[in-house]
Each structure stands twice: as C-alpha cells, then as structure tokens.
Amino acid sequence: MSYDATPPRPQPPMPGFPPQQPPHPPKQPGRGRTNTVIICSALAVIATVVITGVAVSRGGGEAEARPTVTVTETVGAEDAPAPDEEPAADEAAPEDGVHALTDTVAYENDIEVSLAAFERQVSSDYAAPENTPYAKFTIKIVNNSDTRLDASMMTVSCAYGDEGKEGESIYDDGLDGLPDTSVLAGRSLSVPWGCELPKGETFLQVEVAPDWESDVAIFTGTVKK
C-alpha cells in the first residue's frame, strides 16, 4: 500500500465565499511576556546603577577627594591704628634735649656731662642768698676728646616747681661757682653746685652747657624732701 506525498492542492473557492487564508504558525506559549520582563529588568538594573553612581559622586564625602582651603585673616580698617594716633603715655618718646636728673649727656665732641649726689641744705648767714633752702649736687664733666676744655666757659641755670620759677644759684662755703680751670684730654672735673629749692617744692630743672659752643642739656626730676 502506497501513499502519495504530494500535498493537496488548494481547492478553488466556492462561489460566494472568500478565499481560504493560509494557516498561522503556532505561537510559542509565554515567549513575548518573558522577553518583556527580561528587558524591563535590565533597564531597572541600569537605572539603579546610574542613580547609585550619581548619589555616590554627589553625597559620598569619602568617595571623592576635596581640596583644602586656607583662610588668611586680614586686619580690618577698624583694627588698624590711626596714622595720627598718639602713642600711649608709657610709650611716649622723651622730648628732645630733656633728660632725667641722673642721665649722662654725651656730645659729638666726646664731652660728657652728668649730675649726681643730690641733697637738700639751707645756706648759711654769710651765703648769697643767705638762709635759703636749696638743692646741692655735683656737676661732672668728662673730656674724652683729644683737646682740652675750658671749664670756665660752662653755663649753669636752674628752675623749680610746676610753674617753672627761676632758682638762684647758691654761693656758700664750698660753693664757689664756675671753676677757673681747664679739663685736659682724657680727664674729668667735678664741680659742686647749689640751686634754690624751697622746702615745699620737689621738682627741679637744671640746664648745663659744657662751653659756649655746645647745646644746653636740660636735666629734670624730683628731689626728695
């Protein structure tokens, strides 16, 4: 018994009926839905990775090196001292040419002048002026130059008190005024001197010039009562 393997020919359509459509290939169950699920899952994974990377780059302080910022403080205009501001009292520079009673004044010609041994006394009945309270001290002249200095050319004047009253020079026993001698090179001379200073006064000003060509050195200070 034999079978004919030739496929049957399509029959012509019957009058009044549409032509017969070829059969559709059979659908594989679940394939389209599975592909959709796989694609959506892949997109979700990609989106998660992208979002996580952005979050790490923006919010993760440890995952990103940051520059070090150095802040330099500056002094504001309100903190800077005014250009015309005067120094404090304890920092004020001494007035030019004015020195303390115990200072030593050195001149450019290598002459030095200083005062020492201050004490209060009262002149005698035979002094000029007599019976007058005064301050006795020693004027010392040091000649460090290579020429002699004529001590008779020295000038001395005094004042006392806050109002600056002129004090008379005292001439008494041991107070003979200016010496009539010279200070040789490399030598020194001590001259005792007295200036009027009333008992109620403590401030004393003594002005000394070693010769007529030198500036006057002004010594100021208080003498104990």
Side-chain angles (χ1 to χ4, degrees):
M1 186 175 182
S2 61
Y3 293 91
D4 189 359
T6 303
R9 297 180 178 178
Q11 297 296 327
M14 296 293 295
F17 292 90
Q20 186 178 0
Q21 299 294 329
H24 294 284
K27 296 182 179 180
Q28 297 183 0
R31 179 179 297 274
R33 181 178 181 182
T34 300
N35 291 340
T36 302
V37 172
I38 292 174
I39 293 173
C40 292
S41 298
L43 293 177
V45 171
I46 294 173
T48 301
V49 172
V50 172
I51 294 174
T52 302
V54 172
V56 170
S57 63
R58 293 184 178 181
E62 299 179 358
E64 181 180 0
R66 299 182 180 274
T68 302
V69 179
T70 303
V71 179
T72 303
E73 296 184 357
T74 57
V75 179
E78 65 277 4
D79 298 331
D84 297 333
E85 183 178 355
E86 296 182 358
D90 56 350
E91 298 178 356
E95 185 178 352
D96 186 24
V98 179
H99 311 274
L101 289 178
T102 57
D103 285 349
T104 298
V105 178
Y107 290 86
E108 294 181 355
N109 58 356
D110 296 328
I111 303 297
E112 295 181 357
V113 177
S114 61
L115 309 180
F118 284 86
E119 60 180 19
R120 285 180 177 267
Q121 292 190 8
V122 179
S123 64
S124 66
D125 295 338
Y126 304 98
E130 73 278 2
N131 301 320
T132 301
Y134 70 94
K136 183 181 179 180
F137 53 91
T138 299
I139 303 174
K140 185 176 182 179
I141 300 177
V142 180
N143 185 4
N144 293 318
S145 68
D146 54 2
T147 60
R148 70 180 181 89
L149 176 67
D150 188 357
S152 64
M153 305 289 287
M154 180 175 63
T155 60
V156 182
S157 59
C158 300
Y160 64 87
D162 296 335
E163 296 181 0
K165 295 181 179 180
E166 184 177 0
E168 294 187 61
S169 295
I170 304 298
Y171 298 95
D172 200 352
D173 186 18
L175 300 175
D176 299 326
L178 295 176
D180 188 14
T181 184
S182 296
V183 184
L184 300 179
R187 305 288 293 181
S188 64
L189 178 66
S190 295
V191 180
W193 202 268
C195 285
E196 179 185 2
L197 184 63
K199 292 183 178 179
E201 301 289 351
T202 59
F203 180 82
L204 179 63
Q205 175 178 318
V206 182
E207 300 183 10
V208 180
D211 54 37
W212 289 353
E213 297 179 356
S214 301
D215 293 336
V216 174
I218 303 175
F219 301 88
T220 63
T222 58
V223 180
K224 295 181 180 179
K225 294 183 179 180

